[in-house]
Amino acid sequence: MKKSLEEREEYWMKVSDSRVDLRMTHFDVKRVFAEDAETIVMEGMGIKLMEKLARISRGLFNPIDIREKWREWKGRLPPETTPQVKEYFDRDHGLWSKRSVSFKFKNEEHAVDFYCEGDYLLIDLAVKKINELIKDTGYQYYWLHDTGYIAYIVLSEDEAEKLRERCWKLSSL
């Protein structure tokens, strides 16, 4: 990014503040979850995704005893999939895999599911469930639009509103 700023200063001086902000977010590994939607599907990936989501949670989401099971199938996407995902993947021929990640949180057993269609990662259902688990804290995982990645940040509603005033596009699941 620094090299791009130096080489293309004229371009960057014309870009909106929010666009520059969003381009910088994926460097902030302590506060922003950024993952390429096109991924390498492998054993243990659900655990790694869960650890990355926990790392950016500001200490609000701290799962322990994380375990993963996975399965594959050919056919239609899972019925609980969100409308946004259905818009892109509602077809009969997908090769799907699911990573069911179980963990303990607040002394209770929970599970979330990460899906892949081929090598394309879908995590919105998992984040939605995590948001339900932390809703009493006043914070939520927000999806950052227009980053070029699957990107989430944990914010209070007030913090989200301040970023929206700066023209960030955010969605809570």
Side-chain angles (χ1 to χ4, degrees), residues 75-99:
R76 295 194 74 73
L77 69 165
E80 68 271 20
T81 305
T82 62
Q84 298 93 324
V85 171
K86 284 182 182 180
E87 179 180 331
Y88 293 105
F89 294 99
D90 199 11
R91 54 188 185 244
D92 293 329
H93 60 281
L95 177 60
W96 289 91
S97 61
K98 176 172 87 168
R99 271 62 184 166

Side-chain angles (χ1 to χ4, degrees), residues 2-154:
K2 182 179 177 187
K3 185 177 179 182
S4 178
L5 287 170
E6 291 168 353
E7 291 174 353
R8 301 175 53 206
E9 181 178 358
E10 187 176 318
Y11 166 80
W12 285 108
M13 293 306 292
K14 294 177 186 175
V15 173
S16 70
D17 289 347
S18 66
R19 190 78 196 130
V20 173
D21 290 348
L22 290 173
R23 288 293 300 263
M24 298 297 290
T25 60
H26 69 276
F27 293 109
D28 189 352
V29 297
K30 292 181 181 177
R31 291 183 284 192
V32 177
F33 171 98
E35 189 75 29
D36 195 334
E38 198 168 352
T39 190
I40 297 171
V41 179
M42 65 179 141
E43 188 174 337
M45 71 181 287
I47 293 170
K48 291 294 181 197
L49 292 168
M50 182 65 72
E51 289 171 347
K52 284 178 74 173
L53 286 166
R55 183 179 64 221
I56 68 156
S57 75
R58 301 168 134 186
L60 301 169
F61 178 63
N62 49 5
I64 59 171
D65 192 21
I66 304 171
R67 304 160 314 279
E68 176 187 276
K69 289 186 223 170
W70 71 308
R71 71 178 184 97
E72 291 185 339
W73 72 95
K74 188 171 178 77
R76 295 194 74 73
L77 69 165
E80 68 271 20
T81 305
T82 62
Q84 298 93 324
V85 171
K86 284 182 182 180
E87 179 180 331
Y88 293 105
F89 294 99
D90 199 11
R91 54 188 185 244
D92 293 329
H93 60 281
L95 177 60
W96 289 91
S97 61
K98 176 172 87 168
R99 271 62 184 166
S100 292
V101 179
S102 303
F103 56 93
K104 287 184 182 175
F105 178 66
K106 295 183 179 179
N107 294 319
E108 293 182 23
E109 194 67 32
H110 300 278
V112 297
D113 296 324
F114 297 97
Y115 291 94
C116 291
E117 194 266 341
D119 63 354
Y120 191 84
L121 177 63
L122 306 168
I123 72 166
D124 58 337
L125 292 173
V127 173
K128 185 176 181 179
K129 283 189 177 184
I130 294 169
N131 272 346
E132 291 170 12
L133 294 175
I134 65 168
K135 67 182 173 191
D136 63 329
T137 68
Y139 289 83
Q140 292 284 277
Y141 285 81
Y142 286 83
W143 173 46
L144 298 171
H145 300 247
D146 302 329
T147 64
Y149 294 89
I150 297 171
Y152 286 92
I153 188 169
V154 177

